[in-house]
Amino acid sequence: MIPKEQIEEIRARCNIVEVVGAYLPELRRRGSTYKCNCPFHKEKTPSFTVNDARQIFHCFGCGAGGDVFKFVMDYEKVDFVTAVNIMAEKTGVEIVYEGGRPENSGNKDVLFKLHTDAAAFYHRMLIDSDEGAEARRYLEERDLPMEVIKEWQIGYAPQGWEELRARARKKGYADEQLEAAGLVVPSDRGGKKSYYDRFRGRVMFPICDQMGRVIGFSGRIMNKAEKTAKYVNSPETLLFKKNRVLFAFDKARKPIVESRQAVVVEGQIDAIRCHQAGLSNVVASQGTALTDNHAKMIKRYADEVVLVLDADAAGVKAALASSEIFIANELSVRVVTLPEKEDPDSLIKNSGKEALIKLVEEAPGALDFLIDAFQRSENIKTEAGRMRVVKAVLNLISHCPSAARRDPMIHAAADRLNISPLALSQDLRRTKPQQRAAKTDEEEAAPVAPQKTYPRQETALLELLVHYYRDVHPLVHDFLPPQHLTDPTCRKLVEILMLDPPETLTDAFHEFDEASQKVISRVQVEESRKIDEETSAVDLAQRYILLFWKRALEREQQVLARRTDITNEERFRETTQIKHDLHALSKGWNEAKPMLEARLHKDVEF
C-alpha cells in the first residue's frame, strides 16, 4: 500500500548506525563495523553487529538481522507498515498511500477501522446527541472545553445495551469482529448466543498506539455514587496490550525525544490537563501498574522518568515499585510528591501549571524519595526501624544493573543514613545473589532458540558475491551451476545474484522469507577474513567453485555406484571420467578450468 519510491526515500534518509544508536546508546565502533550486546536476547559478549556501509544489522548470537525497517519492527514490536511510518515521521517524509489507507486487508486492519468508527460514534454521541448532555455537563464541570474534547476525541457511550452494536452491524461489521475488538460482550440468554455493548453510560477516552491509531477505550463513570467500577478499559485484544500502552504516548513521543524526559501521571484527565497547560511530554499509566514493557518503551526515547503519582500510601507504594522497574532498565528516576488531596489536574486548576512545573523540576531522585517516605513511617532511631530502611534502600539499589550508577547511589544512601559506603556495598553483595535465586522462570530471559546452520562455504561464497560482486560475479556466473549448492536458501540467493546486483537483496529485503532474511543480513554484515595481501577475492572464489564441483562429482560418483540401469562397461567408463575430473580439480584452477569448460559445454549441448 506504500509506494516503493517512498519506502526507498525514507530508507535513503535513514542511517542505520544513527537509528540503532538512538535505541542502543552502548553501540560502539569495532573496526569497520559497530557492535553492542544484542537487544533481542541475553548475552555477555557483544555479537550484535551493524554495518554502516551496507546499512544492515545482524546478531551472530540469535540470528536477528535486517535493514533499518526490520530493526524498528523487531525493537518496537510493530509490523512493516508501522515501522515505515515511524521512520517517515522521524525523517519528515509524508506518506501517500496507493489507493488510500488499507481498511479490510487483514484482521488488524479491520480492527483498526472498527476502532476508528467506534471512536467517531462515541464522539458524535457526546457532541450532538441529547443523551450526551449529562456527559457534556460533567466535562464542563471538569473544565475541559470543547476544543480539548475535539482534540482528544473524547466521547460518550449511551446507556442502551446495543447502541454501538446496532450501528456497527449496519456498517457491515460482524459480531465476531466487534467481540475481537472488545467492544461487545457475548451472552447466552435463553440458550442463544447474543451480544451487548461493553461500554454504557460512560465518558469515553480513546486509547491510541504510537502512530495515533485508536486501539482501545477507557470508559469513566460520571457519578461517584454509582456502585460500579470507576473505569472500564478495553480487554486484551490483537491490538490492545495494556502492558505495552501508555495513554497520550502518541502525542507525547516527540516532546519526550526532544527533552529526553518522560513525565508519568496516573489518569487520562491528568495527562490531558498537563498537555493543555503546555506540559507535552506527559503520559498516563491509566491506573494500571507500570511494567517492564512500559519501561522499555520509554527507554527508547528518554533518559529520565519523573513519576507524578498520588500522595497517599498506595501512591507511594506504586512510585517505589515503578522506580525499581525503571532503574532496572537504566533510566534515571525522580518522584514528585504532590500536596495532600491534589492530583496533577486539580493542582494545575487550583495553583496554575507553574506549581506542577516547579514540583517536576525539584523532584528528588527515587533513592531520596524512598528514604524520605520511610523516615516518615519508620522510627529510624530504633535498630528495627533503621534496618527496615536499609533493607528497602538496598533493594532499590540492587535493581540498578550498572556499577557506575550504583556507586553514587551507595554513597548518597550512606550519607543519608550515616552508614559507611563499604558496609552498604558489602550488604548489597549479599542481597543480589538472594534476589537472583528468587527470580521466577517468567523473569528469566528465554533461552536463545537454536539457529539453523547453513553450509559455511556456501554463505562464504555469498559474502564474496555481496562484497566483491564485480570481481567474483563473472566467475560464479560462468563456472558454478547453482544446483551445486546444497542449501536451498543459499542456492536461491546465488541465483538472484546471478541476475541482479547485491542491492536487490536489501532493497527487497521484506519480500524475502525469514530464512532468506537471516542469511542476507549475515552475509551483508560479515566480510571474508580469508582475503589478505596474498589471497584476493578472485582466488577465494575459484577455491569455492572447485570445492563445490568436487562435492558435486563425489555425489555423482555415489549415485553412479548405486545405478542398476547401466552396463558394467558404462559404469567403468563414467567412473573413470569422474576420477579424471576429480584429479584435475585437485591440481588447482588453471588445470581444472578446461575440464569445467568441457563439462559446462557438454551440459549446454545436452
Side-chain angles (χ1 to χ4, degrees):
M1 299 296 293
I2 302 176
K4 282 192 175 182
E5 305 78 51
Q6 287 201 313
I7 292 175
E8 290 312 310
E9 181 184 358
I10 296 165
R11 194 201 307 274
R13 293 193 186 190
C14 297
N15 181 291
I16 193 166
V17 174
E18 294 176 0
V19 173
V20 174
Y23 287 99
L24 307 174
E26 63 272 23
L27 187 71
R28 294 287 183 272
R29 179 184 280 278
R30 304 280 182 88
S32 61
T33 59
Y34 294 77
K35 288 190 175 183
C36 67
N37 286 344
C38 181
F40 306 121
H41 79 284
K42 291 285 186 182
E43 63 176 3
K44 294 181 179 178
T45 304
S47 58
F48 181 87
T49 307
V50 181
N51 188 307
D52 189 14
R54 295 283 165 182
Q55 290 293 295
I56 207 97
F57 78 92
H58 183 80
C59 175
F60 293 92
C62 67
D67 62 1
V68 65
F69 298 127
K70 188 65 165 65
F71 177 81
V72 174
M73 288 170 64
D74 291 349
Y75 199 91
E76 298 272 15
K77 305 291 189 243
V78 296
D79 58 23
F80 177 67
V81 173
T82 303
V84 173
N85 273 278
I86 289 172
M87 297 316 299
E89 183 180 325
K90 290 185 178 182
T91 56
V93 177
E94 184 177 353
I95 293 177
V96 180
Y97 288 84
E98 292 178 342
R101 284 185 174 270
E103 292 184 359
N104 295 306
S105 58
N107 289 337
K108 276 193 173 182
D109 292 330
V110 172
L111 293 182
F112 278 127
K113 182 66 168 61
L114 180 48
H115 278 87
T116 298
D117 289 344
F121 166 71
Y122 291 138
H123 189 60
R124 283 197 311 273
M125 291 302 296
L126 174 66
I127 301 296
D128 299 330
S129 74
D130 293 338
E131 194 175 348
E134 182 185 357
R136 291 194 294 272
R137 282 194 298 273
Y138 168 79
L139 293 171
E140 187 177 347
E141 290 170 2
R142 296 299 303 261
D143 195 23
L144 292 174
M146 188 55 65
E147 59 266 23
V148 171
I149 290 171
K150 289 181 178 179
E151 180 187 354
W152 294 82
Q153 207 179 9
I154 301 171
Y156 171 71
Q159 287 283 2
W161 288 85
E162 295 188 7
E163 297 286 338
L164 173 71
R165 177 177 177 253
R167 284 163 177 78
R169 295 275 294 177
K170 284 181 180 179
K171 293 197 73 169
Y173 293 108
D175 284 330
E176 291 74 17
Q177 291 171 328
L178 289 163
E179 183 182 5
L183 294 170
V184 300
V185 179
S187 173
D188 291 316
R189 286 182 291 184
K192 184 179 178 181
K193 189 173 184 178
S194 60
Y195 297 87
Y196 61 89
D197 291 352
R198 178 180 298 275
F199 302 101
R200 303 180 310 281
R202 291 176 178 267
V203 172
M204 300 295 289
F205 297 92
I207 302 169
C208 299
D209 65 8
Q210 295 181 36
M211 299 305 300
R213 300 173 295 189
V214 181
I215 57 173
F217 294 93
S218 182
R220 192 192 196 286
I221 60 170
M222 293 169 282
N223 185 352
K224 291 183 180 179
E226 289 185 44
K227 294 182 179 180
T228 184
K230 183 177 179 181
Y231 283 96
V232 171
N233 294 327
S234 290
E236 296 272 310
T237 68
L238 189 62
L239 301 183
F240 183 71
K241 310 292 183 186
K242 64 183 179 181
N243 69 345
R244 296 181 183 275
V245 176
L246 290 167
F247 181 77
F249 199 88
D250 56 310
K251 296 181 186 296
R253 187 174 64 182
K254 188 175 180 182
I256 288 172
V257 170
E258 291 171 350
S259 64
R260 300 302 298 174
Q261 179 195 76
V263 178
V264 182
V265 298
E266 281 195 272
Q268 290 97 347
I269 293 180
D270 289 328
I272 292 171
R273 182 71 64 206
C274 288
H275 279 256
Q276 186 188 6
L279 299 168
S280 51
N281 61 334
V282 175
V283 297
S285 63
Q286 304 178 120
T288 60
L290 290 162
T291 67
D292 189 62
N293 283 326
H294 290 135
K296 284 181 168 59
M297 184 175 163
I298 292 174
K299 169 72 173 171
R300 295 166 199 162
Y301 306 99
D303 304 316
E304 180 183 66
V305 174
V306 181
L307 298 171
V308 187
L309 306 179
D310 289 347
D312 58 15
V316 171
K317 185 178 179 182
L320 294 175
S322 300
S323 295
E324 293 174 3
I325 292 169
F326 287 120
I327 287 171
N329 282 275
E330 298 191 80
L331 282 156
S332 175
V333 186
R334 294 188 294 122
V335 186
V336 168
T337 301
L338 290 167
E340 192 174 350
K341 297 183 179 179
E342 292 273 30
D343 56 29
D345 174 42
S346 63
L347 182 64
I348 291 173
K349 285 194 296 185
N350 296 334
S351 306
K353 66 178 182 180
E354 293 78 12
L356 182 59
I357 291 173
K358 185 179 180 183
L359 286 174
V360 169
E361 289 176 348
E362 298 177 353
L367 182 65
D368 283 321
F369 175 82
L370 180 149
I371 294 172
D372 291 342
F374 269 81
Q375 284 182 335
R376 288 193 296 269
S377 61
E378 296 284 352
N379 183 0
I380 62 170
K381 292 181 180 179
T382 66
E383 183 178 357
R386 187 180 181 81
M387 291 313 299
R388 281 193 288 270
V389 177
V390 170
K391 184 178 179 181
V393 165
L394 290 172
N395 176 64
L396 184 70
I397 297 174
S398 70
H399 283 81
C400 181
S402 167
R405 298 182 72 173
R406 280 199 305 273
D407 189 60
M409 293 175 75
I410 289 170
H411 280 79
D415 287 343
R416 290 287 310 269
L417 299 172
N418 294 318
I419 299 173
S420 76
L422 179 61
L424 272 183
S425 296
Q426 290 173 339
D427 284 347
L428 183 63
R429 280 194 290 273
R430 285 195 294 270
T431 300
K432 293 190 76 174
Q434 293 172 7
Q435 286 195 335
R436 283 196 293 270
K439 277 192 172 183
T440 64
D441 292 340
E442 289 77 17
E443 291 175 312
E444 294 291 347
V448 179
Q451 287 190 70
K452 177 188 173 181
T453 56
Y454 296 90
R456 183 67 191 95
Q457 290 82 6
E458 296 187 15
T459 58
L461 179 67
L462 279 166
E463 289 169 16
L464 287 175
L465 281 167
V466 165
H467 295 280
Y468 304 93
Y469 186 74
R470 289 187 178 181
D471 296 332
V472 172
H473 177 270
L475 273 173
V476 178
H477 182 274
D478 294 343
F479 290 99
L480 182 62
Q483 60 265 29
H484 284 2
L485 277 69
T486 57
D487 182 80
T489 300
C490 294
R491 182 167 60 244
K492 177 180 69 176
L493 295 177
V494 167
E495 288 173 344
I496 291 171
L497 290 173
M498 291 303 96
L499 300 173
D500 297 300
E503 291 75 18
T504 305
L505 301 182
T506 46
D507 291 348
F509 184 83
H510 298 279
E511 297 174 17
F512 289 98
D513 58 72
E514 185 178 352
S516 298
Q517 288 182 351
K518 288 188 174 184
V519 175
I520 290 168
S521 65
R522 173 177 171 175
V523 301
Q524 290 271 5
V525 162
E526 190 170 57
E527 293 188 40
S528 177
R529 297 187 181 91
K530 295 183 180 180
I531 294 176
D532 51 34
E533 292 180 359
E534 297 180 1
T535 306
S536 68
V538 170
D539 294 334
L540 201 53
Q542 290 172 349
R543 291 182 196 174
Y544 287 133
I545 291 170
L546 296 181
L547 175 64
F548 296 138
W549 267 103
K550 177 176 180 290
R551 291 175 177 175
L553 290 178
E554 287 172 347
R555 290 192 297 271
E556 188 177 324
Q557 197 174 34
Q558 292 170 358
V559 171
L560 183 63
R562 294 193 297 268
R563 287 181 62 180
T564 58
D565 59 332
I566 57 175
T567 65
N568 288 336
E569 184 180 348
E570 290 171 324
R571 192 190 319 277
F572 175 77
R573 185 173 63 250
E574 291 189 33
T575 300
T576 302
Q577 183 62 51
I578 291 174
K579 287 180 178 179
H580 176 270
D581 292 346
L582 284 170
H583 180 71
L585 290 173
S586 69
K587 292 289 186 179
W589 181 257
N590 291 333
E591 292 289 333
K593 184 178 177 183
M595 180 274 292
L596 297 180
E597 290 173 335
R599 273 191 168 262
L600 291 165
H601 181 68
K602 178 182 176 183
D603 290 342
V604 170
E605 281 187 342
F606 178 77

